[in-house]
Amino acid sequence: MPPNPLDRLMFAQGGLCFFCHKPLLPAEASVEHLVALGNGGPKHDGNCVACCKTINALLGSMSLKEKIRLVLNQKGQFKCPNETGVLKSTVANAVARPSSVQASVSTTEQVNLIVHDLRKRASAKPRTVKTLTSTISALFQRKLSEQNVLSLIERLRTQGVIVVSGTKVSYELPNEVA
Ligand SMILES: [Zn+2]
């Protein structure tokens, strides 16, 4: 194995950042100690990951608990911060500005948008699969294929957000996440 810890970790991670999973250029790579050295963390590879310098700087000497919270707060859409250290939550942005929805947003973001939209509708939610289909289609400015919309409905169903019975739909919306 490579003698240099960074080279070793990079090899183990397939050259990808541990957090954002983007290809990591040597100039942008750094070793992050999950339990910070200042908090008594060991130097061995089991406590280390290779990642973008920006996220390493942001994590600094946070406790492991705070780091896990920060990662979880990105809701599976982790992007290492840009040079100014601003961590962008793409989910929050997409929910705040539904008109800016791109075709490239992930299914998770799409589901979050739909749940957000349904919650706003309160008692005026679509009551049938057909109207829910057109509601979702309209929400994404008709940029999704019918197959996409149907798979989103299926995802909502498997997540327990909606209950489909015949052609009828009822809702079990999760509480708004802060
Ligand atoms: Zn990264």
Side-chain angles (χ1 to χ4, degrees):
M1 286 298 281
N4 176 322
L6 182 58
D7 291 343
R8 223 165 33 232
L9 293 164
M10 288 280 276
F11 174 80
Q13 293 172 208
L16 305 178
C17 169
F18 182 80
F19 295 100
C20 68
H21 224 241
K22 294 234 169 66
L24 200 45
L25 301 175
E28 292 165 7
S30 63
V31 175
E32 153 72 8
H33 293 76
L34 294 172
V35 177
L37 294 173
N39 296 337
K43 282 189 175 179
H44 62 67
D45 287 2
N47 185 43
C48 295
V49 298
C51 67
C52 298
K53 276 181 182 165
T54 52
I55 187 65
N56 194 354
L58 184 80
L59 294 175
S61 58
M62 282 181 194
S63 69
L64 186 58
K65 181 169 154 181
E66 289 169 317
K67 290 176 186 180
I68 290 174
R69 190 68 259 165
L70 183 145
V71 170
L72 290 176
N73 283 347
Q74 309 309 309
K75 302 179 179 73
Q77 300 297 316
F78 201 96
K79 287 194 178 131
C80 284
N82 57 27
E83 277 81 51
T84 59
V86 179
L87 199 64
K88 282 188 186 154
S89 166
T90 51
V91 176
N93 288 343
V95 171
R97 292 182 279 107
S99 58
S100 67
V101 172
Q102 303 293 311
S104 62
V105 294
S106 73
T107 310
T108 305
E109 285 178 69
Q110 290 172 335
V111 167
N112 286 343
L113 270 170
I114 296 166
V115 170
H116 185 77
D117 183 73
L118 288 171
R119 194 179 282 110
K120 281 193 304 191
R121 288 169 191 272
S123 60
K125 295 179 191 59
R127 292 290 157 203
T128 65
V129 175
K130 193 162 179 246
T131 51
L132 178 60
T133 306
S134 55
T135 300
I136 292 173
S137 180
L139 180 62
F140 294 98
Q141 291 135 35
R142 313 201 182 281
K143 282 178 188 157
L144 301 181
S145 68
E146 194 185 344
Q147 194 55 47
N148 277 157
V149 175
L150 291 177
S151 71
L152 282 168
I153 291 177
E154 180 59 19
R155 175 95 173 239
L156 290 166
R157 203 182 61 73
T158 55
Q159 290 188 1
V161 175
I162 63 172
V163 178
V164 178
S165 134
T167 59
K168 297 266 192 291
V169 183
S170 57
Y171 299 87
E172 301 279 346
L173 296 181
N175 292 326
E176 185 90 72
V177 276

